[in-house]
Amino acid sequence: MRFSTLFGETLRQVPSEAETPSHRLLLRAGMVAPLVAGIYSHLPLGRAVLRKIEQVIREEMDREGGQEIMMPSLLPIEVYQASGRDQSMADILFRVKDHRDRDFVLGPTHEEVTVELFKRNVRSYRDLPALIYQIASKFRDEPRPRGGLIRLRQFTMKDLYSFDADWEGLDVSYQKMFGAYQRIFDRCGVPTVPVLADSGAMGGKDTHEFIYLTDHGEDSCLFCPNCGYAANAEVAEFVKEPAHVDEAPKPVEEIDTPGLYTIAALSEHLGVPESRTCKAVFYSAAFAAEGAGSKKQGTTVQPVFVAIRGDMDVNEAKLRNVLGAAELRYMEEAEAMKAGFVAGSASAVGLGAEPGNNEQGTARMRVVADDLVTRERNLVAGANKLDKHLLNVNFGRDWEADIVADIALAKEGYRCANCGTPMDLRRGIEMGQVFKLGTWFAEAMGATFLDREGKPQPVVMGSYGIGTERLLAAVVEANHDEAGIVWPRSLAPYDVHMVAIHPDKPDVREVAERLYEELSDAGIPVLYDDRDETPGVKFNDADLLGMPLRVTVSPRNLEKGVVELKGRTAGESRTAPVGDAVGAVREALRV
């Protein structure tokens, strides 16, 4: 490829909208171009890398018995109604109508479609296991696209689905994909750590994320330095010890607390630790009504009162799972007051009557308590009166909960549930996720096969996804320096970046053109910078674009009968005779 004809241009200045190193470098290198937030075009250099990433993925999927297919992205809403995910994924579904007013969605993921394919093509246990995958576009109405290619509204995903006759078979398929993912990320030059994760709207039993650790990541993970426990903060467990369990319950006492609306202010005013308080947090939870289909009025919306110790935070993923809610939304102060709560002075003491206005249902409020706060004694809690609090509140005597469960968010320094060692908090980017879905989709959508006795059984499923643009971004995050990108050889758009200094000079042009042809004929991909630009511009662009080897043809070198070779990260360059240049390039690329 001649640089003079390459579509796209490099940028000298860092784009103002760029948030991360990968975002800045991919924009400056002319590899991607934004259209609107979360939607990007892939330009020739970026597309070349993505094709290589896709090939690595294909090789590893095929190695484990995966068979590539292609499914449509325009999907009738009925397939999501069959699983109930028209409601659990309602916030991210792009919905469209055809000219007959029939409802469709742009596929965010394809579990339902693969189940329909299974029902049409698998009859017996003899047809199992089956592993099918695609590399195709996905569409999600993300409310906050961020990080360039990290969180997109339209993106490409490799999604593989496994079908097994039993849970033991699923374990085998899961381990196959687990190993394949480790090899994919290793081959792409992105170090990852597998961590326990939340299945979210996917449902199912077990799931792991593969995390690339970086300060620019949006995921928080907890790691035990002693036993190796690793989990996303959404699911991380930790040792929960009561701070005040040994005290005898004392009589409740109401006190004045004018203007004390936060745990910190209350704690400071009373001279007690925040662990001595009971914090109230309010949510609105939507539950799918039975047989409701996709109609919004089929959902039941409930206010949820959460009680948790004052020094802890609510883990919304745990809370959503405990409730079995399709959607969970934090209530702001005005909304909480409208629902009948006294924001800043609320507690579960005396709750039992339904709070006020509820726009989409009349189900009563639920009270959910973290399991630690129920074991504490003599806590400070709201009196459900403005500027009033209660001393010496105790669970069981003064208040009850509909649900008691672990709903607390793990933090840095909390002790590992396995060995008791304080855990470290690290941020990272989720590179891929593997799910044990089990029979959840099969039972919802009637996907069965005949076992050895001829009896119908629900198929046991797994789901395994990798976003290719996100992986591209992580490759750049993990492989760059101050000058630009440093591509792993296996993913570089071109192996060689050839720079012609003063290509207007006949001898330079002649040697450069001949070497370009010889390298191309030898099967060595070359980006040939034939532009009429200064040496500084050309060398800066070569470092920015990050090809493994730079070859320079210049008047000064030609006077000595040589060309210059320099690896992207090499401290020094070396020379090779013009006549031996192709062999020297081959040798340099083997290093």
Side-chain angles (χ1 to χ4, degrees), residues 298-514:
T299 63
T300 299
V301 178
Q302 286 184 332
V304 177
F305 182 100
V306 175
I308 191 168
R309 207 170 72 178
D311 60 333
M312 309 187 91
D313 293 323
V314 176
N315 184 321
E316 294 184 1
K318 289 182 180 179
L319 178 60
R320 185 188 64 246
N321 292 336
V322 163
L323 288 167
E327 299 176 36
L328 187 70
R329 183 173 52 79
Y330 175 76
M331 281 191 188
E332 299 292 346
E333 181 177 342
E335 186 180 4
M337 294 179 68
K338 184 178 179 181
F341 301 119
V342 184
S345 297
S347 76
V349 177
L351 290 185
E354 298 173 7
N357 300 323
N358 184 11
E359 295 179 357
Q360 289 184 297
T362 58
R364 75 171 186 85
M365 173 193 59
R366 284 193 203 186
V367 177
V368 181
D370 181 61
D371 54 1
L372 180 58
V373 78
T374 62
R375 292 185 283 156
E376 298 288 0
R377 294 289 180 267
N378 302 320
L379 297 181
V380 180
N384 295 314
K385 301 176 185 177
L386 188 62
D387 295 331
K388 301 283 187 180
H389 277 80
L390 301 175
L391 302 180
N392 306 322
V393 169
N394 290 275
F395 178 78
R397 184 193 70 180
D398 306 311
W399 64 284
E400 299 287 349
D402 298 295
I403 299 173
V404 176
D406 173 22
I407 56 168
L409 182 68
K411 298 179 183 179
E412 176 99 27
Y414 282 12
R415 295 200 293 122
C416 173
N418 290 340
C419 69
T421 303
M423 294 187 291
D424 300 323
L425 179 70
R426 297 286 303 277
R427 298 193 66 80
I429 300 172
E430 176 208 326
M431 301 312 310
Q433 192 164 1
V434 291
F435 299 86
K436 287 185 179 180
L437 299 176
T439 58
W440 189 83
F441 282 93
E443 292 169 353
M445 301 180 67
T448 62
F449 66 95
L450 298 179
D451 65 14
R452 293 179 183 274
E453 283 72 44
K455 297 179 181 179
Q457 300 291 342
V459 70
V460 186
M461 287 183 62
S463 177
Y464 317 87
I466 293 177
T468 59
E469 289 101 334
R470 179 175 286 211
L471 181 48
L472 168 61
V475 171
V476 176
E477 289 282 341
N479 299 275
H480 74 274
D481 58 20
E482 292 182 357
I485 302 168
V486 182
W487 291 114
R489 166 96 190 274
S490 62
L491 300 183
Y494 295 91
D495 289 347
V496 173
H497 190 133
M498 188 170 73
V499 175
I501 303 300
H502 299 305
D504 56 317
K505 294 183 180 296
D507 57 339
V508 172
R509 183 170 62 251
E510 178 187 351
V511 171
E513 292 285 342
R514 185 173 70 249

Side-chain angles (χ1 to χ4, degrees), residues 223-229 237-239 414-423:
F223 297 91
C224 177
N226 181 48
C227 72
Y229 175 78
E237 298 178 350
F238 57 95
V239 174
Y414 282 12
R415 295 200 293 122
C416 173
N418 290 340
C419 69
T421 303
M423 294 187 291

Side-chain angles (χ1 to χ4, degrees), residues 55-67 131 133 160 176-177 179-184 187:
Q55 185 58 29
V56 169
I57 292 172
R58 282 191 174 93
E59 290 172 4
E60 294 299 340
M61 294 298 99
D62 294 348
R63 173 178 170 178
E64 297 297 348
Q67 300 180 65
L131 292 87
Y133 75 93
L160 182 143
K176 284 183 176 182
M177 289 300 106
Y181 273 38
Q182 291 176 313
R183 294 193 300 272
I184 288 168
R187 290 178 62 181

